[in-house]
Amino acid sequence: MIINNKKIYLIIFFILIFLLFVFRFHGTSYKFDPNVCELPMQWKHSAATFEKIQSAIKDKHCGIEINIVLNPEGYFISEYDDPFDIDAPKLLDLMQSFPSIQYWWLDFKNLKYDNADLASFALEELTNITSGKIIVESHNFWGLFFLKTNNNQIFKAYWLAKNSKRYLYFLNLARSIFAMIFINPDFVTMFAYQVGTSDYIWVGSRQRLAFTVNNLETLNNLYLNNIEVVLTDNLNP
């Protein structure tokens, strides 16, 4: 039986697309340098002010997490939801003031597809201020998709949501799989209690960052589950 050449080419095309999707979903696992911080790394949660960052440095945190929003004029402020808050610290000023911070986990609250280009430019400018790594976290699919992070100091992190309700569980799983393939984030962030042994089907081989961990037992259990970075408010025995 002779198979039409067009059918052969079509089969090969779909096989290649499938393999590309598998490769994209698998992703890569970024390895944190234990010479920078002892593993598992404990980064300060919600260090949104000069005083809190000073406290984080005093407590020997090499990384911090900040909620940020993008002002329409093209700069970031340390704020949860109001991009026009004139009293909120500018992210650029925070980075200039604390060059010893090695990791900046930025929870980007108002990232959207229509401000992703402006945000990309603003992030690129920040790499001239700090030598630290910048991890941009968001749950906005299209915002992360259009965000440009070609600089090796800037990383994308997809905030993963899980839900125990069956219909939401599979919707979130499908969304995560599509995010891994099309966004191809460098990291995945998630609640510590949602970390599981079967997370590969959600995130491929990517490094997971967990929040918020405030006791040593949970930290040790997460490290055994290959979690190298956690956010903490105040780690207790």
PDB file of all heavy atoms in Angstrom, residues 129-157:
ATOM      1  N   ILE A 129      20.824  48.361  37.816  1.00  0.00           N
ATOM      2  CA  ILE A 129      20.864  48.829  39.207  1.00  0.00           C
ATOM      3  C   ILE A 129      21.391  47.745  40.139  1.00  0.00           C
ATOM      4  O   ILE A 129      22.133  48.010  41.084  1.00  0.00           O
ATOM      5  CB  ILE A 129      19.456  49.271  39.669  1.00  0.00           C
ATOM      6  CG1 ILE A 129      18.905  50.347  38.736  1.00  0.00           C
ATOM      7  CG2 ILE A 129      19.487  49.763  41.109  1.00  0.00           C
ATOM      8  CD1 ILE A 129      19.755  51.595  38.659  1.00  0.00           C
ATOM      9  N   THR A 130      20.997  46.500  39.878  1.00  0.00           N
ATOM     10  CA  THR A 130      21.365  45.395  40.760  1.00  0.00           C
ATOM     11  C   THR A 130      22.088  44.303  39.975  1.00  0.00           C
ATOM     12  O   THR A 130      21.830  44.103  38.796  1.00  0.00           O
ATOM     13  CB  THR A 130      20.122  44.787  41.441  1.00  0.00           C
ATOM     14  OG1 THR A 130      20.521  43.700  42.288  1.00  0.00           O
ATOM     15  CG2 THR A 130      19.123  44.275  40.422  1.00  0.00           C
ATOM     16  N   SER A 131      22.983  43.625  40.669  1.00  0.00           N
ATOM     17  CA  SER A 131      23.631  42.456  40.076  1.00  0.00           C
ATOM     18  C   SER A 131      22.916  41.178  40.486  1.00  0.00           C
ATOM     19  O   SER A 131      23.294  40.078  40.074  1.00  0.00           O
ATOM     20  CB  SER A 131      25.102  42.384  40.511  1.00  0.00           C
ATOM     21  OG  SER A 131      25.195  42.280  41.929  1.00  0.00           O
ATOM     22  N   GLY A 132      21.870  41.325  41.308  1.00  0.00           N
ATOM     23  CA  GLY A 132      21.114  40.176  41.779  1.00  0.00           C
ATOM     24  C   GLY A 132      20.183  39.623  40.709  1.00  0.00           C
ATOM     25  O   GLY A 132      19.917  40.265  39.692  1.00  0.00           O
ATOM     26  N   LYS A 133      19.686  38.418  40.955  1.00  0.00           N
ATOM     27  CA  LYS A 133      18.721  37.792  40.052  1.00  0.00           C
ATOM     28  C   LYS A 133      17.316  38.330  40.339  1.00  0.00           C
ATOM     29  O   LYS A 133      16.947  38.522  41.498  1.00  0.00           O
ATOM     30  CB  LYS A 133      18.731  36.273  40.226  1.00  0.00           C
ATOM     31  CG  LYS A 133      20.099  35.627  40.068  1.00  0.00           C
ATOM     32  CD  LYS A 133      20.654  35.783  38.671  1.00  0.00           C
ATOM     33  CE  LYS A 133      21.962  35.006  38.527  1.00  0.00           C
ATOM     34  NZ  LYS A 133      22.584  35.198  37.183  1.00  0.00           N
ATOM     35  N   ILE A 134      16.545  38.544  39.283  1.00  0.00           N
ATOM     36  CA  ILE A 134      15.189  39.075  39.397  1.00  0.00           C
ATOM     37  C   ILE A 134      14.210  38.004  38.927  1.00  0.00           C
ATOM     38  O   ILE A 134      14.265  37.565  37.772  1.00  0.00           O
ATOM     39  CB  ILE A 134      15.019  40.357  38.561  1.00  0.00           C
ATOM     40  CG1 ILE A 134      15.995  41.448  39.046  1.00  0.00           C
ATOM     41  CG2 ILE A 134      13.575  40.852  38.617  1.00  0.00           C
ATOM     42  CD1 ILE A 134      16.032  42.671  38.142  1.00  0.00           C
ATOM     43  N   ILE A 135      13.328  37.584  39.829  1.00  0.00           N
ATOM     44  CA  ILE A 135      12.321  36.564  39.500  1.00  0.00           C
ATOM     45  C   ILE A 135      10.954  37.241  39.474  1.00  0.00           C
ATOM     46  O   ILE A 135      10.487  37.746  40.492  1.00  0.00           O
ATOM     47  CB  ILE A 135      12.341  35.420  40.527  1.00  0.00           C
ATOM     48  CG1 ILE A 135      13.718  34.732  40.517  1.00  0.00           C
ATOM     49  CG2 ILE A 135      11.231  34.408  40.230  1.00  0.00           C
ATOM     50  CD1 ILE A 135      13.890  33.699  41.610  1.00  0.00           C
ATOM     51  N   VAL A 136      10.330  37.267  38.307  1.00  0.00           N
ATOM     52  CA  VAL A 136       9.050  37.953  38.125  1.00  0.00           C
ATOM     53  C   VAL A 136       7.931  36.926  38.184  1.00  0.00           C
ATOM     54  O   VAL A 136       7.810  36.066  37.303  1.00  0.00           O
ATOM     55  CB  VAL A 136       9.015  38.714  36.787  1.00  0.00           C
ATOM     56  CG1 VAL A 136       7.728  39.523  36.677  1.00  0.00           C
ATOM     57  CG2 VAL A 136      10.230  39.611  36.642  1.00  0.00           C
ATOM     58  N   GLU A 137       7.101  37.035  39.208  1.00  0.00           N
ATOM     59  CA  GLU A 137       6.020  36.069  39.432  1.00  0.00           C
ATOM     60  C   GLU A 137       4.670  36.650  39.043  1.00  0.00           C
ATOM     61  O   GLU A 137       4.362  37.804  39.352  1.00  0.00           O
ATOM     62  CB  GLU A 137       5.994  35.679  40.910  1.00  0.00           C
ATOM     63  CG  GLU A 137       4.823  34.786  41.297  1.00  0.00           C
ATOM     64  CD  GLU A 137       4.600  34.722  42.802  1.00  0.00           C
ATOM     65  OE1 GLU A 137       4.880  35.733  43.490  1.00  0.00           O
ATOM     66  OE2 GLU A 137       4.129  33.682  43.287  1.00  0.00           O
ATOM     67  N   SER A 138       3.866  35.842  38.377  1.00  0.00           N
ATOM     68  CA  SER A 138       2.498  36.259  38.050  1.00  0.00           C
ATOM     69  C   SER A 138       1.656  35.026  37.735  1.00  0.00           C
ATOM     70  O   SER A 138       2.182  33.973  37.377  1.00  0.00           O
ATOM     71  CB  SER A 138       2.495  37.209  36.855  1.00  0.00           C
ATOM     72  OG  SER A 138       1.167  37.574  36.494  1.00  0.00           O
ATOM     73  N   HIS A 139       0.348  35.195  37.883  1.00  0.00           N
ATOM     74  CA  HIS A 139      -0.603  34.151  37.475  1.00  0.00           C
ATOM     75  C   HIS A 139      -1.294  34.536  36.171  1.00  0.00           C
ATOM     76  O   HIS A 139      -2.095  33.774  35.641  1.00  0.00           O
ATOM     77  CB  HIS A 139      -1.635  33.939  38.586  1.00  0.00           C
ATOM     78  CG  HIS A 139      -2.546  32.767  38.348  1.00  0.00           C
ATOM     79  ND1 HIS A 139      -2.084  31.459  38.228  1.00  0.00           N
ATOM     80  CD2 HIS A 139      -3.902  32.692  38.195  1.00  0.00           C
ATOM     81  CE1 HIS A 139      -3.104  30.649  38.027  1.00  0.00           C
ATOM     82  NE2 HIS A 139      -4.219  31.363  37.983  1.00  0.00           N
ATOM     83  N   ASN A 140      -0.969  35.725  35.654  1.00  0.00           N
ATOM     84  CA  ASN A 140      -1.616  36.198  34.433  1.00  0.00           C
ATOM     85  C   ASN A 140      -0.971  35.530  33.214  1.00  0.00           C
ATOM     86  O   ASN A 140       0.185  35.804  32.887  1.00  0.00           O
ATOM     87  CB  ASN A 140      -1.503  37.719  34.331  1.00  0.00           C
ATOM     88  CG  ASN A 140      -2.336  38.282  33.199  1.00  0.00           C
ATOM     89  OD1 ASN A 140      -2.016  38.101  32.032  1.00  0.00           O
ATOM     90  ND2 ASN A 140      -3.414  38.966  33.541  1.00  0.00           N
ATOM     91  N   PHE A 141      -1.718  34.662  32.566  1.00  0.00           N
ATOM     92  CA  PHE A 141      -1.179  33.848  31.467  1.00  0.00           C
ATOM     93  C   PHE A 141      -0.616  34.722  30.356  1.00  0.00           C
ATOM     94  O   PHE A 141       0.551  34.586  29.963  1.00  0.00           O
ATOM     95  CB  PHE A 141      -2.282  32.932  30.927  1.00  0.00           C
ATOM     96  CG  PHE A 141      -1.808  31.920  29.922  1.00  0.00           C
ATOM     97  CD1 PHE A 141      -1.563  30.611  30.302  1.00  0.00           C
ATOM     98  CD2 PHE A 141      -1.613  32.264  28.590  1.00  0.00           C
ATOM     99  CE1 PHE A 141      -1.123  29.665  29.376  1.00  0.00           C
ATOM    100  CE2 PHE A 141      -1.176  31.336  27.662  1.00  0.00           C
ATOM    101  CZ  PHE A 141      -0.932  30.026  28.053  1.00  0.00           C
ATOM    102  N   TRP A 142      -1.438  35.636  29.836  1.00  0.00           N
ATOM    103  CA  TRP A 142      -1.011  36.416  28.680  1.00  0.00           C
ATOM    104  C   TRP A 142       0.031  37.457  29.049  1.00  0.00           C
ATOM    105  O   TRP A 142       0.903  37.802  28.233  1.00  0.00           O
ATOM    106  CB  TRP A 142      -2.215  37.066  28.007  1.00  0.00           C
ATOM    107  CG  TRP A 142      -3.095  36.051  27.357  1.00  0.00           C
ATOM    108  CD1 TRP A 142      -4.357  35.688  27.716  1.00  0.00           C
ATOM    109  CD2 TRP A 142      -2.761  35.223  26.230  1.00  0.00           C
ATOM    110  NE1 TRP A 142      -4.824  34.687  26.897  1.00  0.00           N
ATOM    111  CE2 TRP A 142      -3.874  34.387  25.975  1.00  0.00           C
ATOM    112  CE3 TRP A 142      -1.632  35.112  25.409  1.00  0.00           C
ATOM    113  CZ2 TRP A 142      -3.880  33.468  24.935  1.00  0.00           C
ATOM    114  CZ3 TRP A 142      -1.639  34.184  24.393  1.00  0.00           C
ATOM    115  CH2 TRP A 142      -2.756  33.376  24.154  1.00  0.00           C
ATOM    116  N   GLY A 143      -0.036  37.953  30.279  1.00  0.00           N
ATOM    117  CA  GLY A 143       0.992  38.890  30.722  1.00  0.00           C
ATOM    118  C   GLY A 143       2.368  38.245  30.717  1.00  0.00           C
ATOM    119  O   GLY A 143       3.337  38.806  30.187  1.00  0.00           O
ATOM    120  N   LEU A 144       2.466  37.041  31.293  1.00  0.00           N
ATOM    121  CA  LEU A 144       3.744  36.329  31.291  1.00  0.00           C
ATOM    122  C   LEU A 144       4.167  35.920  29.885  1.00  0.00           C
ATOM    123  O   LEU A 144       5.351  35.924  29.550  1.00  0.00           O
ATOM    124  CB  LEU A 144       3.648  35.080  32.178  1.00  0.00           C
ATOM    125  CG  LEU A 144       3.816  35.269  33.684  1.00  0.00           C
ATOM    126  CD1 LEU A 144       3.602  33.938  34.403  1.00  0.00           C
ATOM    127  CD2 LEU A 144       5.180  35.847  34.022  1.00  0.00           C
ATOM    128  N   PHE A 145       3.182  35.566  29.067  1.00  0.00           N
ATOM    129  CA  PHE A 145       3.478  35.150  27.700  1.00  0.00           C
ATOM    130  C   PHE A 145       4.170  36.271  26.927  1.00  0.00           C
ATOM    131  O   PHE A 145       5.146  36.040  26.199  1.00  0.00           O
ATOM    132  CB  PHE A 145       2.189  34.731  26.988  1.00  0.00           C
ATOM    133  CG  PHE A 145       2.386  34.281  25.562  1.00  0.00           C
ATOM    134  CD1 PHE A 145       2.808  32.988  25.292  1.00  0.00           C
ATOM    135  CD2 PHE A 145       2.158  35.145  24.507  1.00  0.00           C
ATOM    136  CE1 PHE A 145       2.996  32.573  23.974  1.00  0.00           C
ATOM    137  CE2 PHE A 145       2.345  34.741  23.195  1.00  0.00           C
ATOM    138  CZ  PHE A 145       2.763  33.448  22.927  1.00  0.00           C
ATOM    139  N   PHE A 146       3.673  37.492  27.070  1.00  0.00           N
ATOM    140  CA  PHE A 146       4.223  38.623  26.303  1.00  0.00           C
ATOM    141  C   PHE A 146       5.381  39.317  27.011  1.00  0.00           C
ATOM    142  O   PHE A 146       6.048  40.164  26.404  1.00  0.00           O
ATOM    143  CB  PHE A 146       3.117  39.641  26.011  1.00  0.00           C
ATOM    144  CG  PHE A 146       2.149  39.190  24.946  1.00  0.00           C
ATOM    145  CD1 PHE A 146       0.851  38.850  25.276  1.00  0.00           C
ATOM    146  CD2 PHE A 146       2.548  39.095  23.628  1.00  0.00           C
ATOM    147  CE1 PHE A 146      -0.048  38.425  24.305  1.00  0.00           C
ATOM    148  CE2 PHE A 146       1.657  38.675  22.639  1.00  0.00           C
ATOM    149  CZ  PHE A 146       0.357  38.336  22.978  1.00  0.00           C
ATOM    150  N   LEU A 147       5.635  38.969  28.267  1.00  0.00           N
ATOM    151  CA  LEU A 147       6.751  39.573  28.989  1.00  0.00           C
ATOM    152  C   LEU A 147       8.070  39.072  28.403  1.00  0.00           C
ATOM    153  O   LEU A 147       8.279  37.877  28.269  1.00  0.00           O
ATOM    154  CB  LEU A 147       6.667  39.220  30.480  1.00  0.00           C
ATOM    155  CG  LEU A 147       7.648  39.937  31.406  1.00  0.00           C
ATOM    156  CD1 LEU A 147       7.258  41.407  31.544  1.00  0.00           C
ATOM    157  CD2 LEU A 147       7.677  39.272  32.783  1.00  0.00           C
ATOM    158  N   LYS A 148       8.965  39.998  28.071  1.00  0.00           N
ATOM    159  CA  LYS A 148      10.242  39.634  27.460  1.00  0.00           C
ATOM    160  C   LYS A 148      11.315  39.578  28.552  1.00  0.00           C
ATOM    161  O   LYS A 148      11.545  40.556  29.249  1.00  0.00           O
ATOM    162  CB  LYS A 148      10.633  40.644  26.384  1.00  0.00           C
ATOM    163  CG  LYS A 148       9.644  40.746  25.231  1.00  0.00           C
ATOM    164  CD  LYS A 148      10.094  41.775  24.207  1.00  0.00           C
ATOM    165  CE  LYS A 148       9.096  41.900  23.073  1.00  0.00           C
ATOM    166  NZ  LYS A 148       7.803  42.461  23.534  1.00  0.00           N
ATOM    167  N   THR A 149      11.961  38.417  28.667  1.00  0.00           N
ATOM    168  CA  THR A 149      12.996  38.244  29.691  1.00  0.00           C
ATOM    169  C   THR A 149      14.232  37.620  29.061  1.00  0.00           C
ATOM    170  O   THR A 149      14.653  36.524  29.437  1.00  0.00           O
ATOM    171  CB  THR A 149      12.487  37.353  30.842  1.00  0.00           C
ATOM    172  OG1 THR A 149      12.030  36.105  30.288  1.00  0.00           O
ATOM    173  CG2 THR A 149      11.342  38.002  31.584  1.00  0.00           C
ATOM    174  N   ASN A 150      14.809  38.320  28.102  1.00  0.00           N
ATOM    175  CA  ASN A 150      15.983  37.798  27.413  1.00  0.00           C
ATOM    176  C   ASN A 150      17.264  37.978  28.227  1.00  0.00           C
ATOM    177  O   ASN A 150      18.262  37.317  27.978  1.00  0.00           O
ATOM    178  CB  ASN A 150      16.144  38.482  26.046  1.00  0.00           C
ATOM    179  CG  ASN A 150      14.963  38.216  25.129  1.00  0.00           C
ATOM    180  OD1 ASN A 150      14.422  37.121  25.132  1.00  0.00           O
ATOM    181  ND2 ASN A 150      14.557  39.213  24.357  1.00  0.00           N
ATOM    182  N   ASN A 151      17.223  38.899  29.187  1.00  0.00           N
ATOM    183  CA  ASN A 151      18.393  39.131  30.040  1.00  0.00           C
ATOM    184  C   ASN A 151      18.580  37.957  30.997  1.00  0.00           C
ATOM    185  O   ASN A 151      17.616  37.468  31.592  1.00  0.00           O
ATOM    186  CB  ASN A 151      18.174  40.436  30.824  1.00  0.00           C
ATOM    187  CG  ASN A 151      19.432  40.907  31.518  1.00  0.00           C
ATOM    188  OD1 ASN A 151      20.000  40.207  32.342  1.00  0.00           O
ATOM    189  ND2 ASN A 151      19.860  42.109  31.182  1.00  0.00           N
ATOM    190  N   ASN A 152      19.828  37.493  31.162  1.00  0.00           N
ATOM    191  CA  ASN A 152      20.056  36.324  32.017  1.00  0.00           C
ATOM    192  C   ASN A 152      19.943  36.613  33.500  1.00  0.00           C
ATOM    193  O   ASN A 152      20.132  35.719  34.321  1.00  0.00           O
ATOM    194  CB  ASN A 152      21.416  35.674  31.700  1.00  0.00           C
ATOM    195  CG  ASN A 152      22.587  36.628  31.939  1.00  0.00           C
ATOM    196  OD1 ASN A 152      22.427  37.698  32.511  1.00  0.00           O
ATOM    197  ND2 ASN A 152      23.760  36.216  31.486  1.00  0.00           N
ATOM    198  N   GLN A 153      19.619  37.869  33.848  1.00  0.00           N
ATOM    199  CA  GLN A 153      19.341  38.211  35.248  1.00  0.00           C
ATOM    200  C   GLN A 153      17.863  38.097  35.586  1.00  0.00           C
ATOM    201  O   GLN A 153      17.489  38.100  36.755  1.00  0.00           O
ATOM    202  CB  GLN A 153      19.784  39.652  35.554  1.00  0.00           C
ATOM    203  CG  GLN A 153      21.240  39.819  35.910  1.00  0.00           C
ATOM    204  CD  GLN A 153      21.532  41.262  36.282  1.00  0.00           C
ATOM    205  OE1 GLN A 153      22.139  41.996  35.513  1.00  0.00           O
ATOM    206  NE2 GLN A 153      21.097  41.681  37.448  1.00  0.00           N
ATOM    207  N   ILE A 154      17.012  38.016  34.561  1.00  0.00           N
ATOM    208  CA  ILE A 154      15.569  38.071  34.757  1.00  0.00           C
ATOM    209  C   ILE A 154      14.949  36.715  34.450  1.00  0.00           C
ATOM    210  O   ILE A 154      15.218  36.102  33.414  1.00  0.00           O
ATOM    211  CB  ILE A 154      14.933  39.151  33.860  1.00  0.00           C
ATOM    212  CG1 ILE A 154      15.606  40.509  34.076  1.00  0.00           C
ATOM    213  CG2 ILE A 154      13.441  39.269  34.133  1.00  0.00           C
ATOM    214  CD1 ILE A 154      15.165  41.584  33.103  1.00  0.00           C
ATOM    215  N   PHE A 155      14.081  36.256  35.362  1.00  0.00           N
ATOM    216  CA  PHE A 155      13.443  34.959  35.225  1.00  0.00           C
ATOM    217  C   PHE A 155      11.929  35.104  35.375  1.00  0.00           C
ATOM    218  O   PHE A 155      11.453  35.920  36.168  1.00  0.00           O
ATOM    219  CB  PHE A 155      13.951  33.983  36.287  1.00  0.00           C
ATOM    220  CG  PHE A 155      15.440  33.750  36.245  1.00  0.00           C
ATOM    221  CD1 PHE A 155      16.308  34.604  36.910  1.00  0.00           C
ATOM    222  CD2 PHE A 155      15.963  32.686  35.539  1.00  0.00           C
ATOM    223  CE1 PHE A 155      17.678  34.400  36.868  1.00  0.00           C
ATOM    224  CE2 PHE A 155      17.328  32.463  35.489  1.00  0.00           C
ATOM    225  CZ  PHE A 155      18.188  33.324  36.160  1.00  0.00           C
ATOM    226  N   LYS A 156      11.198  34.278  34.643  1.00  0.00           N
ATOM    227  CA  LYS A 156       9.739  34.233  34.776  1.00  0.00           C
ATOM    228  C   LYS A 156       9.350  33.144  35.768  1.00  0.00           C
ATOM    229  O   LYS A 156       9.940  32.057  35.775  1.00  0.00           O
ATOM    230  CB  LYS A 156       9.069  33.922  33.439  1.00  0.00           C
ATOM    231  CG  LYS A 156       9.104  35.020  32.404  1.00  0.00           C
ATOM    232  CD  LYS A 156       8.323  34.583  31.172  1.00  0.00           C
ATOM    233  CE  LYS A 156       8.408  35.591  30.054  1.00  0.00           C
ATOM    234  NZ  LYS A 156       7.606  35.182  28.872  1.00  0.00           N
ATOM    235  N   ALA A 157       8.336  33.437  36.571  1.00  0.00           N
ATOM    236  CA  ALA A 157       7.802  32.434  37.496  1.00  0.00           C
ATOM    237  C   ALA A 157       6.286  32.407  37.378  1.00  0.00           C
ATOM    238  O   ALA A 157       5.623  33.443  37.536  1.00  0.00           O
ATOM    239  CB  ALA A 157       8.215  32.744  38.933  1.00  0.00           C
TER     240      ALA A 157
END
